[in-house]
Amino acid sequence: MQLTDVIAQIFNPGLAMLPLAMNTPKARVQLLAMTLQEDPEQRRRQMGNGPARGLWQFERGGGVKGVMSHHATTGHAHRLCAERGVPWDAAAIWARLELDDLLACGFARLLLYSDPKPLPATDDADAGWELYMRTWRPGQPHPEKWPGNHAAARRALGL
């Protein structure tokens, strides 16, 4: 899938299920750069059948649990799950993330929303990296890939 397809087929409808204020260029750059970082081949399942699922590689006890339980995101997540027909259960949500890119997009945006700091400027790759590290806490972060992924996201979004 090309980045333009990700934007048209996943970002546009996925972010439309959340409040309009969450659909910003800053959020889109961060989300696109992070899916390039997390799942560059768009397999939606962690290599070696690891614990992460979806385009943003959520773990059941990590990102899924965090979005479900955070005071700023739980209500939005409830509505998103209802709209996508997913039971309010961490195991069910986690399993569905591998198959439902719109749900994955929504959960990824909500995890960013749970961060107390404002989203970084679209051209601030360093602050984007810091946000990624704070919110995703990747086990194998690959910092050398982030600048290229961030730049690719900005190009794909015309920024």
Side-chain angles (χ1 to χ4, degrees):
M1 183 178 283
Q2 300 296 320
L3 293 182
T4 53
D5 296 330
V6 171
I7 294 164
Q9 297 172 22
I10 300 169
F11 277 27
N12 293 342
L15 293 172
M17 293 186 291
L18 298 172
L20 184 60
M22 290 191 195
N23 188 355
T24 66
K26 291 176 182 181
R28 285 173 172 254
V29 167
Q30 191 69 27
L31 288 168
L32 194 52
M34 288 188 327
T35 191
L36 291 170
Q37 190 80 12
E38 285 289 321
D39 196 11
E41 297 177 21
Q42 300 175 343
R43 296 174 191 226
R44 295 167 178 81
R45 180 179 282 241
Q46 189 172 27
M47 297 288 291
N49 199 29
R53 298 290 183 266
L55 286 173
W56 286 271
Q57 296 292 290
F58 268 65
E59 293 183 15
R60 181 173 47 199
V64 172
K65 180 180 175 184
V67 169
M68 290 178 75
S69 62
H70 194 278
H71 66 89
T73 59
T74 189
H76 299 299
H78 264 287
R79 286 186 292 282
L80 181 60
C81 286
E83 188 167 337
R84 300 304 299 163
V86 183
W88 186 251
D89 172 76
I93 294 166
W94 174 78
R96 183 71 69 86
L97 290 173
E98 184 177 358
L99 308 170
D100 188 335
D101 292 338
L102 303 186
L103 180 69
C105 181
F107 262 68
R109 179 60 184 101
L110 289 173
L111 187 55
L112 289 178
Y113 188 70
S114 72
D115 189 71
K117 294 185 178 184
L119 289 171
T122 59
D123 62 351
D124 193 344
D126 291 339
W129 175 255
E130 291 170 10
L131 173 59
Y132 168 65
M133 291 299 292
R134 270 193 320 274
T135 53
W136 259 250
R137 299 187 302 267
Q140 297 179 16
H142 302 289
E144 73 282 0
K145 295 179 181 180
W146 181 259
N149 289 334
H150 194 271
R154 289 186 65 223
R155 277 193 308 277
L157 292 161
L159 301 171

